Amino acid sequence: MDKIVVKGGASLHGSVEISGMKNAALPIIYACVLVEDKCIIENVPDVRDVALSLNILRDMGATVNNIAKNTVEIDCTNLKVGTSRSELVRKIRASYYLLGSEFGRFGRSSVAYPGGCDFGGRPIDQHIKGFESLGGTVNANCDMVEITAEDGPRGANIFFDFVTVGATINVMLAAVLAEGTTIIENAAREPHIVDLANFLNTCGARVSGAGTDVIKIKGVTSLHGCTYAIIPDMIEAGTYMIAAAATGGCVRLTNVIPKHLESVSSKLEETGAVVDEYDDSVVVTGRDTIRKANVKTHPYPGFPTDMQPQMAVLLTLANGVSYVSEGVYEKRFRYVDELLKMGAAIKVDGRTAVIEGGKPLHGADVVAVDLRAGVAMIIAALCAEGTTEISQIHLIERGYDDVVGKLKSLGADIEKVSYPD
Ligand code: UD1
């Protein structure tokens, strides 16, 4: 069993390079299923969800080669529809992008129900609504999802009941090779939606409007290979920004798009940190006093739900009472019990956490209950007195590229340690 062991007290200083964005790399990897040609994808983060997704495609007959550091060549010409291994698919959420890609290319799909972090119920009704609008007959239960359409997907107008990243991506994937035009309204606007659209267009698709809430897709008959670089990971960047502020350090983050970080930058400034923006880097300087602040998570461009646990940790150090409200998921405060073990004073009332700041944190044995919660535990441990041991770190490794090495280079006292099971 691996753990991350952190001795708290060091403030972070120096420069850290941000990796490619996991949540953009994953849909783009599954989008390669639509392309009967070689795609070279650059700036791919070295994280477990990506490795697992590449293995899913390999298993299905795709040729996948790591041709350089963070660069992978994918050729799905010989991929066999409906052959994904259920035990792999069930390990992550993003594997459900196979539904859109298989349906888009083959007119049918059969994939196990996806897994992913536990934030309460995570239904896929909007995905199903989208596939049905495109002419698919969908059979779904908690084991498998199957889609069929005799003549393949057909363009349609789809209005999502609420903003969903996953369903927007799945409908885009299903629609690029469909006959006719698809219009998605109330679409998600996240930077990774734009990145996926840019990748698809580089392969010859005709997607417009990505980044707004109306996306138009004119179906084309085939896609060709391309070389494409993934955008930087705004959630990884935001995590290091908060770690710098929480430890009272000063960190330059390179390979970022400052525009994608605006909601986090402005909230950090509200707490007293200083954020200086440059073309493709930001510098975050922490202050001795951290001011309380209220946060509510929303779809992009609002404050990201994937930054909520990290921000909550910062606010445990603030001078007053802060309110953190979760606007995307039913249950995303399971990590609070772990922070209580470290001395934080937090009460959860439904979708809001009330944080009484200023209680000193101390080291403890804690669990990474999910990916972002796990990295929030690392930030808490950096600020705590004494040593913290974090278990279930495979969840952190699902989405953070070399988090231990990067934090160590910034001066943290942090190690990954293997214990016998
Ligand atoms: C993606 C991200 C995840 C991030 C989330 C919100 C990936 C692999 N995961 O997840 O890290 O936290 O966006 O930014 O990119 N919902 C339904 N029915 C549906 C679809 C969604 O009820 O058919 C609900 C979800 O349960 C959730 C909300 O809508 O409460 C938003 O979900 P969605 O934006 O789809 O998130 P994911 O794509 O699953």
Side-chain angles (χ1 to χ4, degrees):
M1 183 174 59
D2 294 338
K3 288 189 178 184
I4 288 177
V5 179
V6 182
K7 210 182 265 175
S11 55
L12 302 184
H13 288 274
S15 176
V16 63
E17 186 175 343
I18 298 306
S19 299
M21 185 176 196
K22 169 183 88 85
N23 287 351
L26 293 170
I28 288 173
I29 285 168
Y30 288 104
C32 291
V33 170
L34 295 163
V35 188
E36 291 178 65
D37 199 352
K38 273 184 191 155
C39 294
I40 295 175
I41 317 294
E42 300 169 341
N43 205 29
V44 178
D46 186 4
V47 297
R48 280 179 185 241
D49 279 15
V50 162
L52 190 111
S53 296
L54 294 173
N55 276 339
I56 289 175
L57 295 190
R58 257 191 209 108
D59 247 30
M60 298 174 74
T63 307
V64 179
N65 292 311
N66 294 310
I67 55 175
K69 188 169 159 46
N70 303 115
T71 302
V72 60
E73 186 184 75
I74 303 174
D75 186 344
C76 289
T77 307
N78 297 320
L79 179 131
K80 301 231 167 6
V81 61
T83 59
S84 53
R85 258 167 60 199
S86 303
E87 67 270 28
L88 298 185
V89 165
R90 288 198 182 103
K91 285 191 173 163
I92 59 170
R93 193 81 197 151
S95 54
Y96 63 7
Y97 296 142
L98 258 182
L99 288 166
S101 292
E102 284 193 341
F103 182 41
R105 172 163 161 199
F106 301 101
R108 65 193 169 92
S109 175
S110 175
V111 181
Y113 202 92
C117 292
D118 175 9
F119 307 139
R122 293 181 79 175
I124 59 164
D125 55 302
Q126 298 301 301
H127 302 244
I128 292 173
K129 170 177 159 164
F131 296 140
E132 286 177 341
S133 303
L134 295 171
T137 302
V138 183
N139 249 315
N141 57 42
C142 49
D143 267 343
M144 289 299 289
V145 184
E146 287 176 348
I147 315 172
T148 47
E150 215 155 277
D151 303 320
R154 278 187 321 273
N157 283 18
I158 296 151
F159 195 110
F160 285 127
D161 296 350
F162 44 83
V163 175
T164 141
V165 174
T168 301
I169 288 175
N170 246 335
V171 168
M172 288 168 74
L173 295 172
V176 278
L177 295 175
E179 203 181 304
T181 299
T182 297
I183 296 178
I184 307 173
E185 293 188 69
N186 203 18
R189 292 179 283 163
E190 268 69 2
H192 32 301
I193 305 269
V194 180
D195 211 32
L196 172 65
N198 288 341
F199 167 75
L200 290 168
N201 287 342
T202 310
C203 295
R206 296 178 66 194
V207 181
S208 58
T212 75
D213 59 3
V214 182
I215 299 176
K216 193 168 174 183
I217 302 156
K218 287 190 180 158
V220 295
T221 50
S222 66
L223 298 178
H224 54 75
C226 74
T227 298
Y228 190 81
I230 305 285
I231 53 168
D233 195 320
M234 65 181 199
I235 304 298
E236 188 198 20
T239 301
Y240 285 100
M241 290 168 78
I242 289 185
T247 60
C250 179
V251 174
R252 175 181 292 274
L253 293 92
T254 61
N255 185 35
V256 299
I257 299 174
K259 171 102 189 102
H260 295 168
L261 302 171
E262 271 171 1
S263 63
V264 174
S265 300
S266 90
K267 198 48 76 179
L268 273 177
E269 286 182 326
E270 221 177 295
T271 68
V274 178
V275 182
D276 293 310
E277 289 182 5
Y278 302 90
D279 285 348
D280 57 2
S281 66
V282 293
V283 176
V284 179
T285 310
R287 292 283 178 247
D288 288 345
T289 307
I290 296 168
R291 292 197 293 262
K292 64 181 181 168
N294 299 332
V295 180
K296 177 153 191 196
T297 66
H298 289 285
Y300 189 84
F303 190 90
T305 174
D306 284 358
M307 289 300 305
Q308 184 256 94
Q310 303 90 311
M311 185 50 93
V313 168
L314 179 73
L315 295 173
T316 64
L317 310 169
N319 65 353
V321 177
S322 302
Y323 294 83
V324 175
S325 303
E326 174 54 47
V328 177
Y329 290 108
E330 242 174 68
K331 288 188 186 143
R332 204 170 184 172
F333 288 118
R334 291 195 308 132
Y335 67 89
V336 165
D337 285 343
E338 304 306 306
L339 283 181
L340 296 181
K341 291 180 194 164
M342 300 180 72
I346 307 176
K347 284 204 178 95
V348 176
D349 182 9
R351 283 184 165 208
T352 300
V354 183
I355 303 174
E356 200 185 317
K359 306 271 184 255
L361 299 179
H362 54 77
D365 287 358
V366 294
V367 179
V369 298
D370 61 59
L371 164 58
R372 308 299 172 185
V375 85
M377 290 308 126
I378 297 183
I379 299 174
L382 292 171
C383 304
E385 197 182 315
T387 300
T388 298
E389 293 200 5
I390 304 163
S391 54
Q392 279 190 194
I393 62 166
H394 61 281
L395 293 177
I396 302 174
E397 291 169 346
R398 283 187 44 205
Y400 284 86
D401 189 340
D402 191 23
V403 66
V404 169
K406 286 186 183 186
L407 284 171
K408 220 184 233 192
S409 77
L410 295 173
D413 188 339
I414 181 168
E415 296 291 343
K416 178 173 166 177
V417 181
S418 293
Y419 291 90
D421 281 338

